[in-house]
Each structure stands twice: as structure tokens, then as C-alpha cells.
Amino acid sequence: MFAVFSSVGTLLVISMLLSVVTFAVGCAVGAWFFRSGVAGSAESRAQSPEAARSIERMMMASARIHDLAKNVVSHVGDHGNKVEAFNSDLKAMAGEPATLSTDTVLLAIGQMTYANTELQQRLTRLEKQIGDQAVELRSYGTEVRTDSLTGLANRRAFDDEVQRRFAEWQRRRTPFTLLILDVDHFKQINDSNGHPAGDAVLRHIGTVIATNSRQMDFRCRYGGDEFVVILPDTTAQEARVAAERIRKALESAVIPFENESLSATCSIGVARIGAGDDVMKLIRRADEALYKAKEAGRNCGFWHDGSECLPLVTASTSAAHAAGSGPLVDSLADRNAFLEALTRRVPESQRFGIPLSIIHLRIENYGALCQAHGESAARTTLDAVTSFTQLALRQIDLLARLDDGEFAVLLPGSTRSEANQIAKRLQMSAANCDARLHSEKVRFSMSHGIAEFHADDTAESMMSRAKMAAGAKEIQQEAVNS
């Protein structure tokens, strides 16, 4: 009986010690997070009152974790005293075998089991409290790295991100592009309409940037009326198209404020990381391109190619030929290639329940464009759609050209809701895109249909449903316009 009791007691004590070690690790992680979050706290306080308040709340949360850790030590110490007294009682029993009975041993085991259960309950409560404080600390850390006005990242977060991207460039040669945006005549907006109007403009610009960039892009309010976007793994042509898309979206935006409608434009400078660059050189080149845009009259963008600043160009055949890449649309998969890729994806979704969606895109006035402007207008429009659609997609996605003026997009792992967000972004890009034919602007609009995978779907049935949905939306739009 004594041997059995010793084994049980040993296992209980070991379990208790493992729990204590777990809490100690948690406290250490919390302390590390706090130190890393407070590093540079003076700088954060200088940047904004919000950052200072976040730091203070973090310090209070850390203090609470420290108190909780002290409670853990106190509870374990009390339990250790009970174990020590229990061991003394055992020794006394062992020295007087005549007084030792089964009931006595069972009573002792019951007392020790109760003590262990009581400690475990206390540790469980403390574990939850420490977990809550860790969540609170993480939320404060997010506040310190977020601009409270626009909801974008702030300057401190940008400094960390650009260094990380630069390190990745040095290690793996993964390129990235820097886009600097400055609001044109922002002081006049403040002077004429007041600072609340200026804040409304800045908030709206943050929304425009977020809406017209990819999820993988890093969006930041750099300071004042200046914004920065980091475009990872982006070619020069893709970066120029992305910058021009943001500029046009802001140019056409109507910003509601009280009973008025405000407007704003921006100047943009773009530079891509290159040989011999460090972070400061890259920022300086993007700044030079930005000032070139201001000198050129504002509401435009320039690209620094490493030696000189050149104007940004729209997604058109002229830009594609200038880059030496030929028409963009000719590089796309055709209907058969798309159908084969979709056929390979369907069994994955059937077997593992992986989401799968496709988008059918249709240029609504494609026939009228061809009739009015000829083959060159058609090619310009198709290249424009190809360019801004590819910018919105992931590497795993597939864009294909179907019939005249129609495209299909394969989105593995995406739900209908996620596909709808991408489709809306593409429609906005189309509305803000001026494909140029010689000196004339070619305007176009797009409709879309979405099909999400169903258990009984085939590749053909998904494509058919998406096409029917696109046609139905186009009919509805025609009815509204008429």
C-alpha cells in the first residue's frame, strides 16, 4: 500500500511541476513580447498620443502578468509546505508500524489528492488570466504599429517591413518595389475646409489604397499626407500599372464630408530594388521620382529606373511593346488549358472539401469598341484587362482568355465571397482604366459571374454556371441603364 501511495504521489507532484513550468514559459514569452513592443517607446510617444497610451496600457497589462506570476509562485510554495508536512507524517507513520492502517493511508492519500486538485484549479484559473493578458498585450502591440486615422500601418511598422524585405532581397534575390504617394495641395484642403475635412480626405485615401492594391502588398501612412506601398515580388511593368491604378482611382473618387463632396489627386514616385541599393538609396530614388511628378504638374507618377525618372504608363499595347514583351493577352492560357486545370482541381475539392471558385469576366461593350475603333482598340482593351487582372491574382490562380472579350479566372482555395471581392476589385479597376489608342482614350466596363464548387459539379458545369451568371448580370445592368 505504501509503495502504491508513493507512486501516486510522485505522479501528482510531477504533473504539478509540469504545469508550473508551462506557466513560467508563458510568463517569459509575455515579458519578451512586452520588451520588444516597448523598444523605441520614446520614438512612439513622439509620433502620436495614441502610441503613448498604448505603451501605458501595455505596461499595465505586463504588471498584471507579473502579479499573476507571483501568485503562481505563492500557490506552489503553499503546496510545497503541504507536501513537506505530508512527508513528515509519512515518516512518523513508517516509524510506528503498529499505528499504520489502511484507513490511515487512505486518509493521507485523500488529503494529498485534495491539495493537488486545489492547486490544479488555482493554476487553471491563473492560466486563463495570463492568456487573457497575453491577448491584450498583442492587441496593444497592433495599436502601436497602426495609424489610428487611416487604419493602415504606420511609419514604425514600415521601417520594420522594408528592412525585412531588403533582407529577403539580399538572401534570396526576391525583388520588391516602393511606391510613395503624396496628396496634391493638401494644405489648401485643410485651409479651405478645415482639419476635419483633411482627416476625411486622408481616411478616404487610405481606403482607396487598400481597395486598389493586393492583400500581399504593405500599405502605410508614412506621415502627414504621405503614403507608402511596398509591392513584393513585382515586375517593373506591374508596379507601374499598380501605381497608375491607384492614382486614377483617387482622381475619380468623390469624398463625402458633411454636406459637401471633396476631391483630391496625388503625385506618385516608384522605384524597384536593384543592384547596389540599400534601403535609404531605394527611398531616395522613389522620392526623386515623386518630386519629378510634382515638377511635371502633379496628379501624375514617375518611375525611377536606376538612372533617370520616366513617366508612368497605362496598361496598353504601346506600353507592352515599349517594354519589349509584346501583347499581354497572347501569353494567357486558352479555354482548353483552363478546362484542364479546372478538371485537375475538382477531385481535390470533392475529396478534401477544399473551396474552389471561378470567375467569368466579360467586357460589356467589347463589340461596340471593335466596331467603332477596329482591331487595335480590341487588342488595347484586352491587354489592359489582362494587366490589371493579373495584378489582383495570386501565383496559384489562373487567368485564361475565352471568346472575344471574355476571360475566366480559376481561384483554388477561394470561397464565393472571396471570389466576389476580387471581381469587385476588377470592376473598379476597369472603371478607372483608360486604355489609350493613339491619342484617344478607350473606356470600357465589365460584368462578372461566379461559380463556387458544388459536390456534384464537373469542370464543364462550373464554367457553364459562371458564364450564365455573367450574362444575367449584364442583362440586369442593361435594364437598369435603360
Side-chain angles (χ1 to χ4, degrees):
M1 176 64 72
F2 183 79
V4 172
F5 168 75
S6 298
S7 298
V8 172
T10 301
L11 289 174
L12 290 171
V13 173
I14 290 175
S15 175
M16 175 202 69
L17 291 176
L18 287 174
S19 299
V20 174
V21 169
T22 301
F23 279 111
V25 172
C27 293
V29 171
W32 172 86
F33 180 84
F34 173 72
R35 286 197 299 271
S36 63
V38 181
S41 58
E43 176 188 353
S44 298
R45 290 190 181 95
Q47 287 180 3
S48 69
E50 291 83 0
R53 285 194 291 270
S54 294
I55 294 295
E56 291 172 0
R57 290 196 294 269
M58 288 173 68
M59 293 175 66
M60 293 173 62
S62 178
R64 287 194 290 270
I65 286 184
H66 181 262
D67 291 341
L68 291 171
K70 289 171 63 178
N71 287 338
V72 170
V73 174
S74 175
H75 292 328
V76 172
D78 292 343
H79 189 76
N81 292 334
K82 292 179 182 179
V83 171
E84 186 176 350
F86 181 68
N87 285 335
S88 298
D89 292 342
L90 283 179
K91 291 178 181 178
M93 291 181 196
E96 301 179 11
T99 63
L100 189 62
S101 68
T102 300
D103 290 341
T104 303
V105 173
L106 289 176
L107 178 62
I109 291 177
Q111 291 173 342
M112 192 60 203
T113 300
Y114 175 78
N116 274 302
T117 301
E118 184 182 30
L119 177 63
Q120 188 63 48
Q121 290 173 346
R122 290 179 178 179
L123 292 179
T124 299
R125 288 194 297 269
L126 289 170
E127 181 180 14
K128 183 181 184 304
Q129 292 172 348
I130 290 177
D132 292 343
Q133 293 302 318
V135 171
E136 189 175 355
L137 276 173
R138 283 194 292 272
S139 68
Y140 295 155
T142 300
E143 289 180 14
V144 172
R145 298 170 62 84
T146 302
D147 176 60
S148 59
L149 180 64
T150 64
L152 303 181
N154 62 15
R155 170 67 180 273
R156 176 174 181 168
F158 166 79
D159 291 339
D160 292 342
E161 179 68 12
V162 74
Q163 290 292 345
R164 187 177 74 84
R165 291 293 177 187
F166 181 69
E168 191 171 321
W169 158 253
Q170 288 182 308
R171 187 169 58 251
R172 300 177 183 173
R173 279 346 228 187
T174 303
F176 67 97
T177 303
L178 192 65
L179 184 158
I180 299 181
L181 180 154
D182 190 85
V183 184
D184 296 331
H185 306 297
F186 183 70
K187 185 176 183 301
Q188 293 181 12
I189 296 175
N190 273 334
D191 292 344
S192 301
N193 303 282
H195 288 284
D199 288 347
V201 169
L202 293 176
R203 278 193 296 268
H204 194 82
I205 291 173
T207 301
V208 168
I209 292 174
T211 303
N212 290 275
S213 55
R214 303 167 300 181
Q215 188 173 8
M216 66 188 292
D217 298 332
F218 180 85
R219 291 75 64 107
C220 161
R221 183 185 176 196
Y222 197 65
D225 59 336
E226 198 167 48
F227 295 79
V228 174
V229 181
I230 298 176
L231 307 169
D233 198 13
T234 307
T235 66
Q237 171 64 12
E238 290 170 339
R240 289 196 291 266
V241 171
E244 185 68 1
R245 182 172 66 246
I246 291 173
R247 187 196 67 78
K248 287 184 176 181
L250 180 57
E251 179 186 36
S252 62
V254 176
I255 306 170
F257 175 71
E258 296 180 349
N259 297 323
E260 301 180 34
S261 294
L262 306 177
S263 61
T265 61
C266 67
S267 301
I268 299 179
V270 182
R272 186 171 184 260
I273 192 73
D277 273 336
D278 57 25
V279 170
M280 292 308 300
K281 287 181 180 178
L282 177 65
I283 294 175
R284 186 161 55 248
R285 289 202 291 116
D287 263 333
E288 289 177 10
L290 173 63
Y291 283 110
K292 189 70 174 178
K294 292 181 178 181
E295 291 175 1
R298 304 178 189 268
N299 192 23
C300 63
F302 272 74
W303 163 269
H304 198 298
D305 68 353
S307 58
E308 61 178 332
C309 296
L310 304 170
L312 296 177
V313 292
T314 56
S316 65
T317 49
S318 59
H321 284 300
S325 58
L328 297 173
V329 70
D330 287 348
S331 65
L332 297 182
D334 59 15
R335 176 186 291 274
N336 290 334
F338 184 86
L339 192 58
E340 290 177 4
L342 181 56
T343 301
R344 290 195 299 270
R345 292 289 182 180
V346 165
E348 296 178 0
S349 297
Q350 288 175 331
R351 183 175 180 183
F352 302 109
I354 300 172
L356 176 65
S357 297
I358 62 173
I359 305 174
H360 187 101
L361 298 172
R362 175 179 294 167
I363 302 173
E364 295 176 351
N365 54 336
Y366 184 76
L369 287 174
C370 294
Q371 194 169 24
H373 301 283
E375 179 65 24
S376 56
R379 184 63 72 168
T380 296
T381 304
L382 293 175
D383 280 339
V385 173
T386 300
S387 183
F388 65 64
T389 301
Q390 287 178 327
L391 283 174
L393 302 180
R394 308 163 298 177
Q395 289 186 351
I396 194 175
D397 301 332
L398 176 65
L399 174 64
R401 180 188 178 188
L402 304 179
D403 300 325
D404 290 343
E406 296 184 354
F407 297 82
V409 182
L410 174 62
L411 301 169
S414 296
T415 63
R416 183 184 186 86
S417 176
E418 292 166 338
N420 192 49
Q421 291 298 318
I422 294 174
K424 287 182 178 179
R425 187 184 304 172
L426 295 178
Q427 285 184 309
M428 183 177 295
S429 297
N432 293 318
C433 181
D434 293 332
R436 290 187 175 274
L437 179 63
H438 304 301
S439 60
E440 187 177 357
K441 293 181 179 179
V442 179
R443 289 277 189 176
F444 60 93
S445 56
M446 298 181 67
S447 61
H448 72 273
I450 297 173
E452 185 176 16
F453 175 77
H454 296 160
D456 57 349
D457 259 329
T458 64
E460 291 84 354
S461 66
M462 286 189 70
M463 291 188 69
S464 177
R465 286 195 292 112
K467 184 173 183 178
M468 288 178 62
K473 285 195 174 183
E474 188 172 355
I475 292 172
Q476 290 174 359
Q477 187 61 44
E478 290 175 353
V480 170
N481 294 336
S482 62

